Amino acid sequence: MTLSRTFVRAVAACAVCAAVLGLAACQAAPEPPAAEAGDPIDARLVRVETVQWPTSYEAGGVVRARQTAVLSSRVLAPVTEVRVSAGDRVSRGQTLVVLDSRELDAQQTRAAASASAAGLGHDAARAELDAARSALVLARATFDRIQSLAERKSATAQELDQATAGLAAAEARVAGATARVSEAEQGMAAARAGAQAAEVGASYARITAPFDGIVSARHADPGTLAAPGAPLLTLDDTSRFRLEARVDESHAQGVTVGADAQVRLDDTAADAWQSATVSEVSSVDPERHSFLVKLDLPPGLSLRSGQFGRVRLLGTAREVLSAPRAAIVRRGQLSYAFVLDGEGRARLRMASVGETSGDRVEILAGLMAGDRVVADPPPGLEDGRPVRGASADAAGARP
């Protein structure tokens, strides 16, 4: 009985040991690795390459109207009326400012009266000339008659002398009347010119718009004493604008008139660069060590003078590592790319990117020349997923 109990206890102890050893063996055994991917996924592969990258540099600038007029008075007179305010659109020939014109009107009236008097004087001179010519005809006829009688001894020498003197006096009166007519004509021309000048001067009392545009600034109000050269209004031609930017003198050799550039205005998206053309390049300012570049902006833009903008000018090309933009995956503030490894699997790798040009992006770090990356990654692509795609030796369009 005792032996059988001992045997049972030994068998039970062995069973417990076996169970413990089995449990330990189960806990010590490593779990099989998780599968990295499922079925291969179709994807388009492109290659990272070293290309010639166009360098560029940027500068800040200000939008200006291509044509700006600062309107001022040409005479000294009080302002009686200002018919526009800043921001108003005006048309060519529209009256904008009215000055006190009483003195100018008086001058115009006086000049018109002088012109009328000169005309009357000219008429009087013409009448005098006609009378002198008539007297000359009579004096010549008298002289001829007395001379004929004198030849026949029917007239005395004194009568002949009187006829001769009368003829000379008549000729002198005609010459004098002719000169007075010429003088009257010159006086009349001068009076007419004075009347025209007075009329033009009277027009200075109304300041009109020289072109269609918008009033960008108003400098005077009624009651202001307008003086020659003192600004009253500033008018901008809104049909064409340009961007004026100061560029460092180190780039002076690379900027020429007619060169292509890119501009971005402050009210557009960060990547909304637009084409522009360099229209003017000033000389280098020795004090600022910079020069002014003016670029014609595309027509049709809604712009106002004074807006801030940026200009991007092209420099000498440099050799950089580049990949198509379609291969870059954005996740928050970081950039990644799916790189094909030696086993045909897509590996998600962090990539540091730089400038963008066209459909390509500059690679600063994370990728190497010759890497094959996935362009436009499919939604189901994950790290380690097998990729099935054609080998991409062509990396796409160059910048």
Side-chain angles (χ1 to χ4, degrees):
M1 187 68 175
T2 302
L3 181 59
S4 60
R5 289 179 178 176
T6 302
F7 178 75
V8 172
R9 289 173 180 170
V11 172
C14 290
V16 171
C17 292
V20 171
L21 291 174
L23 180 59
C26 291
Q27 291 177 347
E31 295 183 358
E36 288 186 310
D39 296 332
I41 188 172
D42 294 328
R44 182 169 64 92
L45 301 178
V46 293
R47 193 176 295 276
V48 179
E49 290 185 345
T50 301
V51 299
Q52 292 296 320
W53 193 267
T55 59
S56 62
Y57 51 92
E58 297 182 13
V62 179
V63 175
R64 304 288 188 193
R66 186 173 179 83
Q67 184 178 7
T68 300
V70 179
L71 306 184
S72 60
S73 172
R74 300 182 65 173
V75 296
L76 186 66
V79 176
T80 59
E81 186 179 359
V82 181
R83 298 183 177 180
V84 293
S85 300
D88 290 347
R89 288 195 170 274
V90 298
S91 302
R92 181 177 182 178
Q94 178 181 342
T95 300
L96 308 180
V97 180
V98 179
L99 305 180
D100 186 354
S101 62
R102 289 175 295 177
E103 182 178 356
L104 299 176
D105 293 341
Q107 293 176 359
Q108 183 180 11
T109 302
R110 182 170 57 250
S114 298
S116 178
L120 295 176
H122 176 263
D123 294 340
R126 293 290 302 180
E128 184 180 352
L129 176 61
D130 293 340
R133 286 173 177 173
S134 299
L136 177 61
V137 172
L138 178 60
R140 184 174 288 114
T142 301
F143 172 78
D144 292 341
R145 185 179 305 109
I146 296 300
Q147 186 180 29
S148 177
L149 292 174
E151 290 176 353
R152 295 196 300 270
K153 304 299 182 180
S154 298
T156 64
Q158 182 179 0
E159 291 175 339
L160 180 59
D161 292 341
Q162 290 177 348
T164 302
L167 177 60
E171 290 177 345
R173 284 194 296 272
V174 170
T178 302
R180 281 190 291 274
V181 169
S182 298
E183 181 183 6
E185 289 177 350
Q186 296 300 322
M188 185 173 59
R192 288 176 177 174
Q196 292 177 354
E199 183 179 357
V200 173
S203 68
Y204 294 159
R206 292 180 175 268
I207 300 174
T208 60
F211 49 76
D212 296 343
I214 188 170
V215 179
S216 59
R218 172 173 166 170
H219 308 286
D221 293 312
T224 303
L225 182 62
L232 300 176
L233 296 172
T234 302
L235 185 63
D236 291 340
D237 182 2
T238 57
S239 61
R240 293 298 298 271
F241 287 89
R242 61 187 177 189
L243 183 67
E244 300 180 0
R246 284 207 162 270
V247 181
D248 187 80
E249 64 178 348
S250 60
H251 304 296
Q253 299 300 326
V255 182
T256 58
V257 175
D260 294 331
Q262 292 181 318
V263 296
R264 178 170 59 84
L265 305 177
D266 59 354
D267 58 349
T268 58
D271 58 348
W273 290 92
Q274 304 184 55
S275 299
T277 304
V278 177
S279 58
E280 294 183 28
V281 179
S282 67
S283 58
V284 176
D285 188 339
E287 297 181 357
R288 298 184 179 182
H289 301 287
S290 62
F291 60 98
L292 186 65
V293 179
K294 299 181 181 180
L295 303 98
D296 290 337
L297 297 178
L301 300 178
S302 179
L303 301 174
R304 296 291 294 269
S305 292
Q307 285 184 242
F308 178 78
R310 298 198 65 82
V311 56
R312 177 186 291 172
L313 300 169
L314 299 180
T316 306
R318 56 190 174 90
E319 193 174 78
V320 301
L321 193 64
S322 170
R325 293 177 60 183
I328 302 301
V329 180
R330 303 283 184 178
R331 293 185 177 179
Q333 301 296 326
L334 302 179
S335 301
Y336 299 86
F338 284 99
V339 183
L340 195 67
D341 63 7
E343 299 178 357
R345 298 178 181 274
R347 299 297 181 181
L348 188 62
R349 187 183 301 174
M350 184 179 295
S352 177
V353 299
E355 298 179 359
T356 299
S357 177
D359 61 349
R360 300 189 68 84
V361 63
E362 179 185 8
I363 302 299
L364 302 178
L367 302 177
M368 296 186 299
D371 285 346
R372 290 184 298 168
V373 293
V374 178
D376 297 319
L381 183 60
E382 297 178 354
D383 185 29
R385 181 76 177 269
V387 173
R388 179 173 54 241
S391 177
D393 293 331
R398 301 294 190 273

